[in-house]
């Protein structure tokens, strides 16, 4: 499955793909990445930024790729010079910042992986000895008690040598999240990141970005996304040893203006594409 998916990604994102398909993917990815990098708070969303980025998509032909890159770089230099660290769940490398880690492997190296959340895998296979029921033998009980961790994402990352020196320090100003389904399969990653910045006691802001897409009501997309963000924060709160802090984490982040949800106006950004 991983190999088939790797071949599919190659067919739409690499130079051996049709120029139009490859460049469209490249252009949209670059513009979205820049928008996210340049938004440092909900107040920073403005028509000027959208307009400047939208103008870059005038160069929507493959032959104009150098002009597109040049114009995009100028916007970035005008707006922002802060250091960025990127942790991506995707397999492609379209970010042009120095510190990037493809947590589940990257297409260039052909080492992409799929897997199950390590913590959830262990919890699903937790069975105490002596608690077997009439439909389960002692041997079955012992078998189910041992989780198949070789199918977990953490195990597969280690097995494939995907570790790095990527540093998530406690002095990170803003965590920005986009394009992630916020599913429980990746909750352990969020827990690790939020622990690293001491989300409850620290000053780090968390920005969640969402965007509209075809074939689904925009209102429902937003509603589902807000629910996903809420579930993620509340689930993280359950990991606290101080249960009072865990219960009021969501409210605390809102009161301190450290939790925001912002729409990326893709229909405006890609008028020319």
């Amino acid at each position: 499955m991983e190999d088939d998916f790797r071949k599919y990604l190659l067919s739409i994102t690499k130079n051996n793909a049709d120029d139009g398909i490859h460049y469209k993917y490249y252009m949209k990815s670059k513009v979205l990445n820049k928008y996210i990098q340049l938004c440092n708070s909900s107040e920073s969303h403005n028509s000027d930024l959208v307009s400047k980025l939208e103008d870059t998509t005038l160069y929507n032909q493959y032959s104009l790729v150098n002009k597109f890159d040049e114009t995009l770089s100028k916007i970035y230099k005008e707006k922002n010079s802060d250091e960025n660290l990127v942790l991506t769940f995707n397999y492609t490398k379209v970010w042009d910042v120095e510190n990037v880690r493809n947590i589940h492997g990257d297409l260039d190296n052909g080492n992409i992986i799929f897997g199950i959340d390590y913590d959830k895998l262990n919890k699903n296979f937790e069975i105490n000895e002596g608690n077997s029921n009439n439909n389960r033998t002692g041997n079955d009980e012992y078998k189910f008690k041992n989780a198949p961790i070789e199918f977990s994402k953490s195990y597969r990352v280690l097995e494939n040598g995907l570790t790095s020196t990527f540093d998530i320090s406690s002095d990170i100003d803003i965590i920005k999240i986009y394009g992630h389904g916020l599913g429980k399969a990746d909750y352990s990653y969020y827990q690790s990141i939020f622990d690293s910045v001491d989300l409850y006691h620290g000053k780090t802001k968390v920005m969640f970005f969402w965007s509209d897409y075809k074939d689904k009501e925009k209102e429902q997309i937003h509603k589902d996304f807000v629910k996903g963000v809420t579930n993620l924060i509340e689930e993280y709160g359950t990991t606290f040893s101080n249960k009072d802090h865990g219960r009021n984490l969501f409210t605390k982040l809102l009161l301190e203006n450290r939790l925001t949800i912002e729409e990326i106006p893709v229909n405006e950004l890609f008028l020319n594409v």
Side-chain angles (χ1 to χ4, degrees):
M1 192 190 309
E2 290 169 342
D3 189 55
D4 285 344
F5 188 62
R6 178 186 63 81
K7 291 175 182 176
Y8 166 73
L9 290 180
L10 284 171
S11 73
I12 64 170
T13 64
K14 290 297 178 182
N15 290 327
N16 59 347
D18 176 82
D19 284 347
I21 295 175
H22 169 248
Y23 185 53
K24 186 174 182 179
Y25 173 86
Y26 177 84
M27 172 182 280
K28 287 191 172 184
S29 299
K30 286 278 188 177
V31 170
L32 285 171
N33 292 342
K34 281 292 180 282
Y35 183 92
I36 295 168
Q37 289 180 60
L38 298 175
C39 280
N40 291 330
S41 70
S42 58
E43 291 79 18
S44 68
H45 169 63
N46 57 73
S47 58
D48 176 60
L49 174 58
V50 173
S51 178
K52 284 180 177 293
L53 288 173
E54 193 267 329
D55 285 345
T56 66
T57 60
L58 290 169
Y59 309 109
N60 57 13
Q61 300 297 319
Y62 182 71
S63 59
L64 300 175
V65 60
N66 291 334
K67 187 66 176 177
F68 167 73
D69 285 337
E70 179 184 340
T71 306
L72 206 59
S73 295
K74 286 181 180 178
I75 296 172
Y76 184 71
K77 290 176 181 177
E78 289 175 8
K79 294 283 183 179
N80 191 303
S81 60
D82 293 337
E83 183 179 7
N84 290 279
L85 308 174
V86 179
L87 181 65
T88 174
F89 290 84
N90 287 344
Y91 305 105
T92 49
K93 290 186 173 181
V94 294
W95 293 88
D96 51 5
V97 298
E98 183 176 348
N99 297 308
V100 181
R101 180 181 180 187
N102 293 72
I103 187 67
H104 294 150
D106 66 84
L107 190 58
D108 290 346
N109 292 316
N111 57 1
I112 67 175
I113 66 165
F114 297 152
I116 306 168
D117 180 75
Y118 183 83
D119 290 338
K120 294 295 183 293
L121 188 64
N122 277 329
K123 288 179 181 178
N124 285 335
F125 281 83
E126 277 185 354
I127 299 176
N128 296 323
E129 291 186 14
N131 287 341
S132 60
N133 55 39
N134 293 332
N135 297 320
R136 185 178 297 158
T137 68
N139 289 334
D140 288 335
E141 183 184 20
Y142 178 81
K143 184 191 301 182
F144 283 111
K145 194 176 67 172
N146 295 279
I149 61 171
E150 63 270 22
F151 293 108
S152 70
K153 290 181 179 179
S154 299
Y155 184 97
R156 307 245 25 236
V157 166
L158 184 62
E159 182 182 39
N160 285 272
L162 301 180
T163 55
S164 75
T165 57
F166 193 93
D167 180 32
I168 303 175
S169 62
S170 59
D171 59 354
I172 289 176
D173 295 321
I174 306 174
I175 297 171
K176 304 173 184 179
I177 300 166
Y178 175 66
H180 196 278
L182 305 180
K184 292 185 177 181
D186 292 311
Y187 272 14
S188 59
Y189 286 117
Y190 287 108
Q191 181 179 339
S192 298
I193 295 170
F194 293 161
D195 283 350
S196 296
V197 300
D198 192 5
L199 189 60
Y200 187 89
H201 296 101
K203 299 296 182 182
T204 303
K205 296 180 179 180
V206 185
M207 295 184 69
F208 289 90
F209 294 91
W210 68 283
S211 53
D212 190 10
Y213 51 90
K214 295 180 180 179
D215 302 325
K216 193 168 184 180
E217 292 290 336
K218 182 175 181 179
E219 183 179 345
Q220 187 62 46
I221 296 172
H222 180 249
K223 183 177 180 180
D224 291 343
F225 191 74
V226 172
K227 185 177 181 180
V229 171
T230 303
N231 290 341
L232 172 63
I233 299 300
E234 290 184 344
E235 178 73 14
Y236 175 61
T238 64
T239 67
F240 289 8
S241 56
N242 186 322
K243 297 306 177 185
D244 290 335
H245 285 180
R247 282 190 292 270
N248 67 30
L249 173 64
F250 188 77
T251 302
K252 176 179 170 65
L253 292 174
L254 290 175
L255 288 174
E256 296 176 355
N257 197 30
R258 292 198 289 130
L259 177 63
T260 58
I261 295 176
E262 180 171 336
E263 179 186 5
I264 296 180
V266 290
N267 293 326
E268 296 177 48
L269 288 174
F270 301 125
L271 282 175
N272 299 312
V273 180

